[in-house]
């Protein structure tokens, strides 16, 4: 019998032709040559080589060491390339050209797929914000007065965004518990995760010109899973009166794969009902296209599921975050990345951080490797997710994994 083609996928494969996320890879025989790849099942297609072999006008765009050229090309190019890729992996006549350009996923090295320009992180889950408020302000209002009027965010450090699989070095810094007489310096003892979704900007915007809600899909290429590692003890001491700094900036992990927005059309849903009318630049009540995404996230520590946060519950949408991020005239750059903020649902098992799951260490979680309040050296955290796809399929997002290693000198 002839050998089965890598393009003959099992029924329901979440990385089928309806998905086709983009990444960047290298091979063992050419470790220094990075290329744009597209995942199909358990293989990676060399997109630039495929475009060249089939005479695509986008061959030069795809024959790049990162996704930035494709990101900058704009929505028409995004649509055309995706349409071509779908044909290349589904039309039988293309198989002789395509099959030799498929690499088994476990035989390649995956890299950060785009050059990150700026990084912004938001705080868009009402459930997460309410839990954090109750933990730190038990006698006050859980939400700050501005929370339901605007998407709260902070500017992070683009240079420490790393690809899935990169070790996370435990950060050191100042910390001071409320009962301590003075701050001390040392490795964080409250190292945490934040299960998030990141959005990758393609088309830039002009300085001084806000991006309206309706232009979200003209600028945002796709999304990716994101883990915003957080040193809660460092953060608690430093962030009054300003925002997060060293407690966040040491590492942010993202998936090696970017899922294009068009792959998630079947997953679009209406956002939760809001309590009052928003200011016009954030008001999406008349939008014909639902603004939220139904993504089902799973969080594992050392292979054990600890949480399943639902992204559809997020109060602020990615389009509103983009509009707010630029309403003052701040411009977008190709490769900008912005995070949703921790994704948490209304139930305990849907909380997207250990801060919430353990209620700041009060209620340890049980793992086969022992109880946890916060992360220990050697712990490996993995985020996975899927979304409803066309005709009952599932669209899988690329996982993001990181393993905690000890602080230097410890």
């Amino acid at each position: 019998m002839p050998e089965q083609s890598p393009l003959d996928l099992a029924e329901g494969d979440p990385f089928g032709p309806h998905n086709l996320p983009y990444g960047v890879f290298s091979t063992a025989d050419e470790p220094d040559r990075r290329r744009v790849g597209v995942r199909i099942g358990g293989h990676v297609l060399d997109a630039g080589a495929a475009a060249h072999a089939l005479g695509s006008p986008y061959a030069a765009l795809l024959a790049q060491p990162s996704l930035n050229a494709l990101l900058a090309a704009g929505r028409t190019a995004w649509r055309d390339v995706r349409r071509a890729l779908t044909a290349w992996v589904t039309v039988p006549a293309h198989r002789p050209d395509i099959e030799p350009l498929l690499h088994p996923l476990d035989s390649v090295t995956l890299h950060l797929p785009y050059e990150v320009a700026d990084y912004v992180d938001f705080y868009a889950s009402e459930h997460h914000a309410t839990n954090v408020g109750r933990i730190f302000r038990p006698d006050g209002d859980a939400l700050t007065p501005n929370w339901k009027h605007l998407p709260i965010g902070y500017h992070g450090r683009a240079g420490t965004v790393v690809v899935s699989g990169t070790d996370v070095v435990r950060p050191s810094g100042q910390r001071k518990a409320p009962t301590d007489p003075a701050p001390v310096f040392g490795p964080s003892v409250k190292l945490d995760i934040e299960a998030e979704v990141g959005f990758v900007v393609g088309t830039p915007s002009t300085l001084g010109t806000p991006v309206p809600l309706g232009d979200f899909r003209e600028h945002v290429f796709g999304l990716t899973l994101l883990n915003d590692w957080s040193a809660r003890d460092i953060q608690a001491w430093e962030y009054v009166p300003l925002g997060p700094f060293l407690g966040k900036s040491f590492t942010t992990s993202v998936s090696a794969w970017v899922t294009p927005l068009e792959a998630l059309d079947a997953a679009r849903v209406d956002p939760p009902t809001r309590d009052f009318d928003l200011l016009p630049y954030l008001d999406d009540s008349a939008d014909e296209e639902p603004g939220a995404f139904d993504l089902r996230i799973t969080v594992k520590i050392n292979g054990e599921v600890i949480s399943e946060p639902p992204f559809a519950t997020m109060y602020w949408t990615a389009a509103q975050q983009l509009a707010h991020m630029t309403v003052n005239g701040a411009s977008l750059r190709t490769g900008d990345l912005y995070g949703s903020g921790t994704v948490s649902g209304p139930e305990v098992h849907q909380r997207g951080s250990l801060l919430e799951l353990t209620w700041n260490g009060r209620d340890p979680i049980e793992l086969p490797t022992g109880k946890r309040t916060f992360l220990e050296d050697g712990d490996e955290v993995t985020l996975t997710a899927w979304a409803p796809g066309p005709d009952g399929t599932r669209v899988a997002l690329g996982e993001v994994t990181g393993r905690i290693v000890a602080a230097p000198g410890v």
Side-chain angles (χ1 to χ4, degrees), residues 149-163:
H149 292 274
L150 57 87
I152 295 173
Y154 71 93
H155 285 272
R157 189 174 182 86
T160 52
V161 176
V162 300
V163 72

Side-chain angles (χ1 to χ4, degrees), residues 210-213 281-282 318-328:
V211 175
L213 280 173
Y281 79 97
L282 292 172
Q320 289 171 319
Q321 290 169 336
L322 189 74
H324 184 67
M325 189 164 62
T326 61
V327 73
N328 66 345

